[in-house]
Amino acid sequence: MYKQSIEDPSTFWGNIASQFYWKRKWDTSKPICSYNFDIRQGPVSIEWFKGGYTNICYNALDKHVNEGRGDNVAILWEGNQVGQELRLTYRDVLKKTCQLANYLRKRGVKKGDRVCIYMPMVPELPIAMLACARIGAIHSVVFGGFSAESLAGRILDCKSDVLLSCSAVQRGNKALNLKAIVDEALMLCKQKENFTPGTCLIYDNANAVPRSKVNWVAGRDLWWQDEVRSCSTEAPVEWMEAEDPLFLLYTSGSTGKPKGVLHTVGGYMVYAATTFKYVFDYQPGDVFWCTADCGWITGHTYICYGPMLNGATQVVFEGVPMYPSPSRWWEIIEKYKVSIFYTAPTAIRSLEALGDKHVIKHDRSSLRLLGTVGEAINAKAWLWYHRVVGEGRCPIVDTWWQTETGGIMITPLPGAWCLKPGSATLPFFGVEPVVLDQEGKPQDGPCAGYLCIKGAWPGMARTLYGDHQRFAETYFTTWPGYYVTGDGCQREANGYITLTGRVDDVVNVSGHRISIGEVESALTSHKSCAETAAVAFDHDVKGQGIYAFVTLVEGVSPTEKLKDEIKAAVRREIGSFAVPDVIQWAPGLPKTRSGKIMRRILRKIAANQFNELGDTSSLADPAVVDQLVETKRGNTRISKL
């Protein structure tokens, strides 16, 4: 199958795509895909199934209902609190999706309009995504942990005229007032560009906060339950051309400005469904559980779309893994007899640190396949996951992919070949990885270098919203002719690929890609910060953490209280997940004579690799390095004491 997918993609992907419903089939007289990755030959372009008309919501819901599977369970929702639960069939989800689709149409939303979604993991979140897809609106989901600043920036970038949100969410024993964040974000939108969405529909999450305590703006804010429940449960489908936009998802960029990655209908639909089917070996009767949030690409592809295109039954969880006890995940697996479990290495390491007792007291005999996503998993955590969680009998699919790729790219196929702890192993169908050296030359055999992809695959992003030039510059300029992933890797003689981390200025914290530039911008938003530099460092739980060097304004004294204030600035500007793990006061930063900060040196200092700093003679002031090292050594001694 892999050989055919590379040598004859039209036949391979054509046969798979034909299993879905198309209102009109693509032009079969032409190749199923046309693309240009070489900027020297013209503009970057990618097209799949051109001329075909379909609808991803129809294929994810109506098709199953029409074929007699409407009573199959689609979503097993587990709330934050034990005992909060909901079971929705495919017929239920279709009715709720149609009601919201009709309401959006009633508010004037049409094909091509942008709808921003800022919600927790309640069933209405994937339903909102499907409703947008049904009517041809482009959804932009913003993770519910982002700050008002981040939400406002995403609303303004795509000029979303509709915002779907929620009153509040309970995460563990803490309540997060989402509506207050929404109010602040909309105020910022008004101040910055005199723009605000015309519709602000708020889901009443009474489990988290009563309506009476929710701030309300009459004429703008509307309660979801009051408005939507009277709408018809039948809604016509907007048939979409394969290359019409499906969704925007903002991801961190090395410049600090988030990128609106745009995916289109046809190729994404086929790739999401195919990767889910083969990577997870989904079989009738399986219960799938991906622990991600729909605010990230993993939740898009392996909660909302991939499982539902395959008619799967899945668990959707609102809570956190350690509430009300570290046994929560294993309780859920036992309760719903989960057979396929897909989570992040950060969570695995956190739970491993608590010992085996919380896991082994629960029945996990239903499990037959485990998966990891979001970052590379180290061998120690992989072995614990296999031995303890999977009882030594479950294969682990260690998946590598990105927001931009749309779906899994490098992964084991369970049962098809041998696993290696920490290695993503081999490419998925249609994916041709290439390892380039420093000069951009493809290497043969065992090697290490820059991971790039040769040739197009159906699920890949088509552009960055409103900025195709940045799309070309970010992914196709460094080495024309290849998609440049920004990740380094090692390849063994048998072709197995092990990811070694980012090679650009993006840090991967607990599976969240965070722009270093964005963090530094947030740090310097504090009035006491004169200059900052942030770098990644190895973190036992998160995989990577953020280490920030901060130079204060002259006359300001460094204190622990000031560190807390600076961290709060990052939390306010971006979100709590981007707050630096360490802040080190820096009298100055190591710079070249041209003013460039030498982050290579800062990474070594953060990692206590003082003997590997290399040549510092080219710096404008080499003495700065000695000061930073001495400060770090002093902090290390204090922490040990």
Side-chain angles (χ1 to χ4, degrees):
M1 289 176 70
Y2 179 77
K3 186 171 185 289
Q4 185 192 42
S5 74
I6 301 300
E7 296 178 356
D8 186 9
S10 288
T11 299
F12 181 85
W13 291 112
N15 288 340
I16 291 175
S18 295
Q19 298 168 27
F20 298 93
Y21 180 82
W22 296 78
K23 189 70 172 177
R24 185 202 303 169
K25 201 166 185 180
W26 56 92
D27 187 348
T28 55
S29 67
K30 298 178 181 178
I32 209 162
C33 169
S34 64
Y35 70 94
N36 175 45
F37 282 6
D38 192 338
I39 58 172
R40 299 166 300 189
Q41 307 298 320
V44 171
S45 62
I46 306 106
E47 291 181 338
W48 283 84
F49 311 109
K50 188 68 176 171
Y53 280 78
T54 187
N55 184 286
I56 194 170
C57 175
Y58 183 91
N59 279 286
L61 299 177
D62 303 64
K63 186 172 184 289
H64 302 307
V65 174
N66 295 342
E67 293 175 358
R69 298 184 294 277
D71 292 331
N72 289 4
V73 175
I75 293 174
L76 296 162
W77 181 74
E78 179 81 6
N80 178 73
Q81 300 292 342
V82 176
Q84 294 175 347
E85 59 186 66
L86 186 65
R87 183 180 295 251
L88 296 174
T89 65
Y90 273 87
R91 185 174 284 106
D92 295 332
V93 176
L94 176 58
K95 287 179 178 179
K96 288 177 176 289
T97 298
C98 286
Q99 285 185 305
L100 183 58
N102 284 324
Y103 178 76
L104 292 173
R105 279 189 169 127
K106 177 181 168 184
R107 299 294 295 186
V109 179
K110 58 188 183 302
K111 178 180 177 180
D113 288 348
R114 281 77 57 209
V115 174
C116 194
I117 304 171
Y118 183 67
M119 299 183 73
M121 286 301 290
V122 291
E124 283 69 20
L125 173 48
I127 285 169
M129 297 163 71
L130 289 161
C132 290
R134 189 173 192 84
I135 65 175
I138 305 167
H139 62 70
S140 171
V141 182
V142 180
F143 173 56
F146 272 120
S147 67
E149 283 277 356
S150 295
L151 175 59
R154 285 152 173 77
I155 292 172
L156 291 174
D157 187 76
C158 70
K159 293 295 186 290
S160 171
D161 196 45
V162 175
L163 174 62
L164 305 179
S165 192
C166 187
S167 54
V169 60
Q170 193 83 17
R171 288 203 179 107
N173 57 8
K174 296 179 181 178
L176 180 63
N177 191 335
L178 293 180
K179 181 57 167 56
I181 296 172
V182 165
D183 290 343
E184 185 182 349
L186 297 186
M187 181 186 68
L188 291 169
C189 288
K190 187 75 172 175
Q191 290 174 348
K192 290 181 177 181
E193 297 188 22
N194 196 29
F195 175 87
T196 53
T199 297
C200 186
L201 188 66
I202 304 298
Y203 180 76
D204 178 9
N205 192 5
N207 290 330
V209 65
R211 278 194 187 191
S212 59
K213 294 190 176 180
V214 178
N215 185 53
W216 207 247
V217 178
R220 182 197 73 186
D221 299 341
L222 301 158
W223 285 115
W224 183 306
Q225 286 89 331
D226 295 351
E227 300 291 327
V228 175
R229 65 184 170 190
S230 61
C231 295
S232 170
T233 56
E234 295 182 2
V237 169
E238 183 75 36
W239 297 107
M240 307 289 286
E241 204 276 334
E243 285 301 325
D244 281 337
L246 173 61
F247 67 83
L248 286 172
L249 186 55
Y250 286 85
T251 185
S252 292
S254 58
T255 63
K257 184 180 187 296
K259 309 185 295 274
V261 175
L262 188 144
H263 286 279
T264 54
V265 176
Y268 176 82
M269 177 181 76
V270 171
Y271 199 73
T274 307
T275 50
F276 178 83
K277 175 181 178 179
Y278 286 103
V279 175
F280 300 110
D281 185 36
Y282 187 84
Q283 304 293 332
D286 276 330
V287 176
F288 176 77
W289 182 17
C290 170
T291 66
D293 189 290
C294 284
W296 309 108
I297 188 63
T298 304
H300 279 59
T301 307
Y302 301 114
I303 294 179
C304 185
Y305 292 116
M308 302 191 85
L309 287 165
N310 282 276
T313 296
Q314 65 172 321
V315 172
V316 173
F317 180 45
E318 181 190 32
V320 294
M322 296 188 191
Y323 179 82
S325 78
S327 297
R328 186 69 188 278
W329 274 6
W330 322 121
E331 290 170 359
I332 293 171
I333 287 172
E334 180 177 7
K335 176 180 178 179
Y336 294 111
K337 294 182 169 49
V338 173
S339 49
I340 305 166
F341 184 60
Y342 192 39
T343 193
T346 297
I348 295 167
R349 287 189 290 265
S350 297
L351 293 164
E352 178 192 6
L354 299 174
D356 302 354
K357 61 182 179 181
H358 301 290
V359 185
I360 61 177
K361 68 181 181 181
H362 293 283
D363 181 9
R364 300 168 324 286
S365 59
S366 60
L367 288 172
R368 67 176 188 84
L369 180 65
L370 304 173
T372 65
V373 61
E375 57 187 307
I377 183 169
N378 57 303
K380 179 175 176 289
W382 191 102
L383 290 165
W384 181 84
Y385 193 33
H386 181 263
R387 177 180 57 83
V388 178
V389 177
E391 300 176 321
R393 55 181 175 75
C394 298
I396 297 175
V397 288
D398 175 358
T399 63
W400 173 84
W401 58 297
Q402 301 173 320
T403 302
E404 296 86 347
T405 72
I408 293 165
M409 298 285 282
I410 302 175
T411 177
L413 291 186
W417 53 78
C418 295
L419 304 175
K420 180 182 179 182
S423 175
T425 70
L426 299 172
F428 189 72
F429 306 132
V431 178
E432 289 187 88
V434 179
V435 184
L436 304 183
D437 63 15
Q438 291 277 4
E439 285 71 47
K441 295 178 182 177
Q443 303 181 80
D444 296 322
C447 60
Y450 300 93
L451 177 62
C452 297
I453 309 296
K454 175 185 177 183
W457 61 98
M460 71 182 301
R462 302 305 196 252
T463 190
L464 298 179
Y465 186 74
D467 199 347
H468 193 67
Q469 182 178 347
R470 188 182 179 194
F471 180 68
E473 290 173 351
T474 302
Y475 305 108
F476 301 96
T477 301
T478 308
W479 291 300
Y482 299 102
Y483 168 79
V484 180
T485 70
D487 282 331
C489 73
Q490 295 175 342
R491 186 176 61 204
E492 301 174 38
N494 62 0
Y496 276 30
I497 291 172
T498 299
L499 280 298
T500 55
R502 300 296 298 172
V503 294
D504 58 14
D505 288 329
V506 176
V507 58
N508 192 325
V509 177
S510 300
H512 301 163
R513 288 182 64 201
I514 303 168
S515 162
I516 287 297
E518 202 173 359
V519 173
E520 290 175 351
S521 176
L523 287 165
T524 53
S525 70
H526 191 284
K527 62 183 180 181
S528 296
C529 294
E531 193 172 32
T532 66
V535 296
F537 73 103
D538 290 339
H539 193 287
D540 289 342
V541 173
K542 299 178 181 179
Q544 284 187 312
I546 299 174
Y547 196 109
F549 295 84
V550 174
T551 301
L552 296 173
V553 172
E554 189 173 354
V556 175
S557 300
T559 63
E560 289 302 311
K561 181 182 177 183
L562 182 55
K563 279 187 182 180
D564 291 339
E565 289 177 6
I566 293 169
K567 288 181 177 181
V570 178
R571 189 177 294 109
R572 182 173 59 252
E573 293 285 324
I574 306 174
S576 58
F577 56 91
V579 172
D581 299 271
V582 181
I583 291 179
Q584 177 176 332
W585 304 122
L589 297 172
K591 298 178 182 177
T592 63
R593 290 178 178 83
S594 63
K596 180 182 178 182
I597 296 173
M598 295 292 285
R599 286 182 173 78
R600 169 185 62 79
I601 293 173
L602 295 178
R603 290 189 193 98
K604 296 294 184 182
I605 294 173
N608 294 321
Q609 296 171 343
F610 307 128
N611 297 325
E612 301 175 26
L613 298 177
D615 183 16
T616 60
S617 60
S618 62
L619 297 178
D621 183 8
V624 166
V625 176
D626 296 331
Q627 291 175 306
L628 292 174
V629 168
E630 187 54 37
T631 301
K632 178 66 191 294
R633 279 179 166 151
N635 290 342
T636 303
R637 283 194 293 270
I638 291 169
S639 65
K640 284 181 178 178
L641 287 171

